[in-house]
Amino acid sequence: MLALITALAACDGPADDPSPDGGAPSEAAPDAAPDAAPDDARPLAPGQVRYVLDWDDTGLDVAPDGTWRVTNDRGQTFTITRGWLTSYSAQLVPCSIFEERAAGLGDWLWSLVGGVAHAGHDDEPDPSLYEIPHVEPLVGRAPLALGVVDGVPSETYCKVFYLVARSDEDAVGVPTEVPYARVSLYLEGTWAADGEAHAFTLSTDLNIGRNLDLLTADARAADDALRLDPTEAGVDVIVYRRIAGWFDGLDLAEADDDALARALMPRVVDALWAEVR
């Protein structure tokens, strides 16, 4: 049993091609949310799901030119002058996955491992899957309407799975300013401690995803997650990313590039929350 717990817990970190067949409940969302709206505001028909990505700039000092600065919990200040993130896919996750896992492991064991995300593949992708990778600029960020998935059949969904993964030949918005072949996250800027600034560049191909509870704006404070059937009404799912916590716990004075990437990527998906409209 100890070996099983250890193996399951290890799946919570960065992994190649993770799939949304489990996941810990998402952290509570902030009380106030940015006012995001889908770029394509046309009404949705039953069986349609529209995915939108947005940013929460709480804690960031954003300059007029779009560059930004944040100070982490160690007192180190990071200034980002260029950066990109590959948002690979989004999909709804059926409630049955979590119910079957909980029944198989037992409530006690399931609570011990926290329902961590598992690396692997389902035999068939869920019909709600949107999988056209988009490379988003981290300097000059803006809301991004990924697109609408049509014809989602009747199913009860409990979460949305958002995946950050390395870009491929189908990726939209790949930058030409820097090498970005099979890259999931690129950061360029400086970090400073005790007044002395040091240049750094991070480029990684690590993949990581997270399951997020489905919450309405009114339900966020109570963390009252929804169970949705998109055939009853079309659904907008907006995934918010909060950058300010990405650098907490990091120490660039001691970490090499690989260690920095492995420490930072889980933080990228820790600061997520989803809103349903």
Side-chain angles (χ1 to χ4, degrees), residues 26-27 162 210 212 239-241 268-274:
S26 59
E27 295 184 8
Y162 168 71
R210 185 175 175 87
L212 307 172
V239 176
Y240 292 93
R241 286 77 51 83
V268 171
V269 295
D270 277 347
L272 297 174
W273 51 283

Side-chain angles (χ1 to χ4, degrees), residues 10 15 30 35 61 65 80 86 90 108 131-132 148 151 162 244-245 247 270:
D35 186 15
D61 181 7
D65 62 358
I80 303 302
T86 306
W108 174 79
E131 191 177 41
I132 300 177
V148 176
Y162 168 71
F247 302 94
D270 277 347

Side-chain angles (χ1 to χ4, degrees), residues 141-232:
R141 295 172 313 288
L144 173 65
L146 288 177
V148 176
V149 178
D150 293 301
V152 179
S154 181
E155 176 70 80
T156 303
Y157 292 99
C158 285
K159 295 181 186 288
V160 58
F161 182 74
Y162 168 71
L163 176 63
V164 173
R166 48 184 170 263
S167 58
D168 58 25
E169 61 275 7
D170 296 324
V172 176
V174 176
T176 57
E177 302 94 316
V178 299
Y180 207 88
R182 298 184 64 78
V183 172
S184 52
L185 175 66
Y186 181 96
L187 292 173
E188 189 176 305
T190 61
W191 67 275
D194 299 325
E196 183 178 358
H198 309 270
F200 82 96
T201 299
L202 169 70
S203 181
T204 181
D205 63 355
L206 293 177
N207 305 337
I208 192 164
R210 185 175 175 87
N211 289 311
L212 307 172
D213 286 336
L214 302 173
L215 303 169
T216 65
D218 293 336
R220 282 199 308 271
D223 198 25
D224 188 10
L226 303 176
R227 296 168 62 93
L228 296 176
D229 183 344
T231 61
E232 297 177 356

Side-chain angles (χ1 to χ4, degrees), residues 2 40 123 142 153 214 255:
L2 179 59
D40 178 3
D123 292 336
L214 302 173

Side-chain angles (χ1 to χ4, degrees), residues 85-100:
L85 179 74
T86 306
S87 293
Y88 196 90
S89 66
Q91 73 176 84
L92 297 177
V93 186
C95 300
S96 58
I97 288 179
F98 300 95
E99 292 163 353
E100 290 168 3

